[in-house]
């Protein structure tokens, strides 16, 4: 069973959202992460981000 997942490759992407509050002029940044069970050959970074 352990060898079954030995070839599993994953890619992770990070999405950042920057927002400025108009009243306080404070900038906030939020990050969200996603993990894909596809190898780099199956999906490029551009395809994952799109």
């Amino acid at each position: 069973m352990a060898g079954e997942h030995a070839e599993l490759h994953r890619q992770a992407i990070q999405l950042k959202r920057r927002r400025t509050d108009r009243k306080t002029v404070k900038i906030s940044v939020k990050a969200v992460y996603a993990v894909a069970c596809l190898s780099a050959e199956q999906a490029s970074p551009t395809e994952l981000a799109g």
Side-chain angles (χ1 to χ4, degrees):
M1 281 280 196
E4 223 176 278
H5 300 288
E7 294 184 25
L8 182 63
H9 300 284
R10 293 196 173 138
Q11 296 186 80
I13 59 173
Q14 178 189 56
L15 304 172
K16 284 188 178 181
R17 176 181 176 223
R18 177 177 273 172
R19 184 175 76 89
T20 304
D21 186 306
R22 291 182 182 178
K23 291 181 183 178
T24 63
V25 194
K26 287 186 179 179
I27 297 172
S28 63
V29 178
K30 290 189 179 183
V32 177
Y33 300 90
V35 177
C37 293
L38 300 172
S39 68
E41 291 80 24
Q42 292 172 311
S44 70
T46 304
E47 290 174 315
L48 291 176

